[in-house]
Structure formats: structure tokens, C-alpha cells
Amino acid sequence: MGTTERLKIAKEILATSFINATEKSITHGLEFKYNSYPIEEEDFKGWAVDIIVKEAGYGEKTIQQFKYQRPANIDAKNMEYHVIVDVIGNLTQGALTTWYEVAKLLASDKLLQKAIIDETKKDH
């Protein structure tokens, strides 16, 4: 599989992830998107991916920017592919770390456990 095909698949995975996240969060007024683009400045050549959130009633905000310097021996397609794969990895790591920290909190906080149990017993 060539770079063009791998890049297409990586972009589809990232785009699908953001579509899925937005579909799950739209009822809470949140929309997610990203912007992947080359940077061609005098002192920096590379690639960036901005993670953007839009909350209902507010404008878009870039909540994270992943910025990578391009090595001299890599073309734009390979650069974008490697950046997108790394961004997917970073987003996954962030989510898993958050879940792990929440699980540790839930396992140790008896008051929080009781509040959650009480809330689930209520008629909704």
C-alpha cells in the first residue's frame, strides 16, 4: 500500500472519529473538528493539526495544536500521514489516561460512589 492510500485511510479514520464524537456530543451543544495543514514559514517548515471545539452559543476554539517540524528527507504526503497517525495516538492516549484517572477516583472516593449510586436509583 502506497503513501497516498495510507494517507487516505488515516484521514478517514480521523474524520470518522470526529464525526462520531460530534454525533455523541451534539445534544450537549458540542461539535468537534480538526484542521490539518502544512506550515511554510521562513524559520519553520512542517505540519500542524488543530483540534477545534464549538460549543452552542459560542464560536470555535482551538483547544489543542499538534505542530511537527518536517525533516528534510520527507515529502508532504508522508509528513501528513505520520502527523495524523501521531495525533490519533495522542488523542487515544489522552482519552485512555482520562478514563484511567476517573476509574482510580471512582475506586477510592466513597462519597462519589454513593452519589452515583443514588443518582442511578432516581427515576429519569
Side-chain angles (χ1 to χ4, degrees), residues 22-77:
T22 294
E23 287 174 351
K24 292 180 177 192
S25 300
I26 198 75
T27 57
H28 301 289
L30 296 174
E31 296 178 53
F32 303 102
K33 68 180 191 175
Y34 72 95
N35 187 21
S36 175
Y37 56 95
I39 300 172
E40 296 291 334
E41 299 169 352
E42 188 174 318
D43 60 339
F44 185 87
K45 297 194 183 332
W47 207 274
V49 175
D50 297 337
I51 307 300
I52 302 162
V53 66
K54 182 176 184 213
E55 189 173 2
Y58 299 94
E60 293 180 351
K61 289 184 182 178
T62 298
I63 59 170
Q64 177 71 47
Q65 181 184 63
F66 297 93
K67 191 173 177 182
Y68 302 84
Q69 189 160 2
R70 186 175 69 216
N73 62 345
I74 192 169
D75 64 29
K77 283 184 181 179

Side-chain angles (χ1 to χ4, degrees), residues 90-109:
N90 280 305
L91 293 172
T92 302
Q93 179 189 15
L96 293 173
T97 301
T98 300
W99 293 346
Y100 175 65
E101 292 300 325
V102 168
K104 286 188 335 187
L105 177 66
L106 286 172
S108 63
D109 190 330

